[in-house]
Every structure is written in structure tokens, then in C-alpha cells.
Amino acid sequence: QQQVKQSPQSLIVQKGGISIINCAYENTAFDYFPWYQQFPGKGPALLIAIRPDVSEKKEGRFTISFNKSAKQFSLHIMDSQPGDSATYFCAAPNAGYALNFGKGTSLLVTP
Amino acid sequence: DVKVTQSSRYLVKRTGEKVFLECVQDMDHENMFWYRQDPGLGLRLIYFSYDVKMKEKGDIPEGYSVSREKKERFSLILESASTNQTSMYLCASRPTRGVNTEAFFGQGTRLTVV
């Protein structure tokens, strides 16, 4: 079973600040690491993903940083906004096409 | 627009009942999944299927079974519902086109077993 360890469990950031969520994985059959965002009452939706042929991927205010030797990847949210308040999950693929998810980080961005 | 539709948003069932959760996707995806979401435990994989009539156990299959008779439909079955199966259940689908493809989730079914 692929283990994905995510931290912190919860995070409070002021508007305009940087939110950082970290994940560590054990082993993976495929090199693909997505982050999902979930709002209350909704299913998770893909936010951003990285293939580790690059060490960083940026999409707008969201950046994934990847450290293959340490088996770690992180999500940075720059200029955090109240609308970013949600639960964030990192994931890593198992031997099939299923994704193993971290336990989630509840982010609250205060005005 | 990809859609994964779960038949019920909320369900209340009695202990011992047989419960069916239905999921349909409209994007011809080969792979379908059932996850359970609990506070502090994240999303845990119950079962998945990579083809019609094929199924694989996930991390927590005990007390559950699945059925996939058609490519677009994946059902989760609680053979005899128990109170510890009260949870949010999420269905997802994902295509087999390379390894870096997006998984699409339904809205979830919140099941309460009383």
C-alpha cells in the first residue's frame, strides 16, 4: 500500500500570505503527483499536477515543488485569498490507475 | 464537460440493510473508483475497476462489494450496513491514456446508517 503523508492537517493564513502544504510518499509506480482541491459539499477537483521530469510547476498563484531524492512534494499558494479556503489533498499513483491520497489539509484564509 | 454522477446526495439506512450506491460517468473512462472520506482520514480507496466485470480491492474493502456490468456504471454495495459505515462516499473515474491523467469525482453520497 502506497503511503502518502500530508502536513499540516489544518492551516490558517491571512489574506495575501503564502500557504504551504507538504507531502511525502514512499514509493510510486508512476511519476505523477497531483493536488486536488475540495470545497464543502463538492467532490475533489484537480488543482495542479506535476510529472517529476521538472522540479517545479506553476499555474497562476499555485506552484508545486518536487524533490525526487527526498520523495517529497509541496503546494505553495501565493497571495492567498479567502476563496482559496478549502481542503487540499495530495496524491500519488499506485500500481494501477488508482490514486492514493493524503489525509488532507483544511486551509482557512482570513480577510 | 466530464460528468461523474452519483445517484443520491444523502441516504439514511438502517443497520443490516443492503445498500446500493450508484455512479455513472459519461466520458467513456476505463477506470472507476470508490473512495470513502472521513474527517482526519482523508480519502481511502475501497474498490476500483479497470474494465467491465473487473474489480480490484483497495485499502478498505471489508464489508463492501462492487459491480460493473457496463463501462459507464460502477456500483458500491454494502452487504449489511453497519453504523461504522456512516461516511461520505465518493466515486471517481479516470481514463487509461498515459499515467498523468486527471481523475474526476462525483459530488459524493453522504450515507448515515442508524
Side-chain angles (χ1 to χ4, degrees), chain A residues 25-49:
Chain A
Y25 65 96
E26 292 181 348
N27 295 293
T28 181
F30 305 114
D31 288 340
Y32 168 70
F33 299 95
W35 285 90
Y36 280 75
Q37 180 188 54
Q38 184 181 31
F39 293 105
K42 303 285 188 182
L46 180 66
L47 177 66
I48 186 173

Side-chain angles (χ1 to χ4, degrees), chain A residues 1 9 30-32 36 38 41-46 51 87 89 93-94 96-104, chain B residues 9 31 33 35 37 40-43 45 48 59 90 94-107:
Chain A
Q1 175 188 347
Q9 186 173 359
F30 305 114
D31 288 340
Y32 168 70
Y36 280 75
Q38 184 181 31
K42 303 285 188 182
L46 180 66
R51 289 199 64 182
T87 301
F89 295 95
N94 67 14
Y97 275 82
L99 293 171
N100 291 311
F101 287 85
K103 293 186 177 181
Chain B
R9 291 294 305 273
N31 306 286
F33 313 90
Y35 288 89
Q37 182 175 13
L41 297 179
L43 280 69
L45 182 64
F48 65 99
D59 299 324
L90 289 161
R94 192 177 181 207
T96 305
R97 278 196 308 273
V99 299
N100 55 339
T101 55
E102 179 178 354
F104 294 88
F105 282 84
Q107 296 267 62

Side-chain angles (χ1 to χ4, degrees), chain A residues 76-88:
Chain A
H76 292 64
I77 306 174
M78 311 300 288
D79 187 26
S80 298
Q81 299 296 311
D84 297 331
S85 298
T87 301
Y88 293 82

